Amino acid sequence: MNTEKLIRKFDKQANIYEMRRRKQSEKKWREKLIRCAKGRVLEVGVGAGANFHFYPKDVEVTAVDFSKEMLSRAKEAAAESGIQAEFTLSDVESLSFPDDSFDTIVSTLTFCGYEDPHRVLSNIQKWCKPGGQILLMEHGISSYRFVGRIQKMVDPLFKKTVGCHLKRDILQILEITNLNIKKVERHMLGAVYLVWAAPNK
């Protein structure tokens, strides 16, 4: 799926993402992860801004998304939550920042959609300061074989209709990128991953 087509697909889903934000979907996971953020924060694939409610009030967030409609909702979320934020309309896979720019980098439910998730994670590691932190909440292949088989079967249809993969092996992506993994939790039949990590510098 080309990038422009994918952007249009997510533009159309912006209202759904906003509704999920207002209902605080995944609250228990987002709250547990995002409250750890500190300093200058980069959030990639900010979507409709579901994480803003959970950020500490003293952070400064640079929020990136390739969907104009999503960013519009995210700006509202930041204002409602009293979070200082700057917004960048960009495809994360073509994004560029100087090395060692951020104290914390956040990604929630974005690695399912990238064409090259290894490259994105490698860039994230470069952009994070030594001693900084990388906070991830991602969905991927379940640790239950039966569920995993179903995910693999429906993956092509899910990619076509929603725009993301169900069968990504998140732990394998982390291992290949050689992050310094501090802690991993798995939830919802092992298909949701919470990861606390640091750059390997």
Side-chain angles (χ1 to χ4, degrees):
M1 186 179 299
N2 66 53
T3 301
E4 290 302 318
K5 187 175 181 180
L6 192 60
I7 290 171
R8 290 195 297 272
K9 190 175 293 292
F10 278 94
D11 278 344
K12 291 177 181 178
Q13 296 179 71
N15 287 334
I16 296 172
Y17 276 66
E18 181 181 13
M19 180 177 64
R20 289 175 60 194
R21 183 193 86 218
R22 295 193 179 280
K23 289 183 176 180
Q24 295 191 4
S25 298
E26 304 96 25
K27 176 182 177 179
K28 61 182 178 180
W29 301 327
R30 293 183 189 274
E31 186 173 39
K32 188 173 189 178
L33 189 74
I34 302 303
R35 68 185 180 190
C36 299
K38 58 185 178 182
R40 189 179 180 205
V41 177
L42 171 65
E43 183 172 345
V44 296
V46 69
N51 290 327
F52 280 116
H53 180 76
F54 306 106
Y55 277 117
K57 299 302 182 185
D58 59 346
V59 299
E60 299 177 5
V61 180
T62 297
V64 179
D65 206 284
F66 63 6
S67 165
K68 186 177 180 180
E69 295 299 324
M70 290 288 192
L71 277 186
S72 176
R73 273 63 169 194
K75 289 175 182 178
E76 294 175 3
E80 290 172 5
S81 301
I83 298 299
Q84 182 179 342
E86 295 181 355
F87 297 87
T88 299
L89 180 64
S90 176
D91 177 8
V92 172
E93 293 190 77
S94 61
L95 196 62
S96 180
F97 288 106
D99 291 0
D100 306 336
S101 291
F102 299 96
D103 301 291
T104 304
I105 300 182
V106 171
S107 167
T108 57
L109 307 178
T110 69
F111 276 83
C112 57
Y114 300 133
E115 288 297 320
D116 190 349
H118 302 95
R119 179 171 176 267
V120 173
L121 195 54
S122 292
N123 284 336
I124 284 175
Q125 185 164 207
K126 289 192 298 183
W127 299 334
C128 191
K129 295 178 182 179
Q133 56 183 342
I134 297 168
L135 306 175
L136 310 174
M137 182 182 82
E138 303 295 343
H139 73 80
I141 195 73
S142 171
S143 54
Y144 290 76
R145 290 183 180 179
F146 175 72
V147 177
R149 285 198 295 269
I150 295 174
Q151 288 175 296
K152 291 176 181 177
M153 288 173 57
V154 302
D155 185 82
L157 178 62
F158 202 79
K159 173 63 175 175
K160 182 178 180 180
T161 56
V162 180
C164 70
H165 292 280
L166 287 176
K167 62 178 184 178
R168 289 267 163 92
D169 189 333
I170 301 301
L171 294 182
Q172 184 183 64
I173 292 171
L174 296 175
E175 288 171 4
I176 291 173
T177 316
N178 198 30
L179 281 184
N180 182 4
I181 305 298
K182 304 292 187 181
K183 180 181 177 183
V184 176
E185 293 182 4
R186 296 182 72 169
H187 302 275
M188 210 170 83
L189 298 177
V192 173
Y193 302 68
L194 297 185
V195 180
W196 290 259
N200 222 333
K201 297 183 178 182

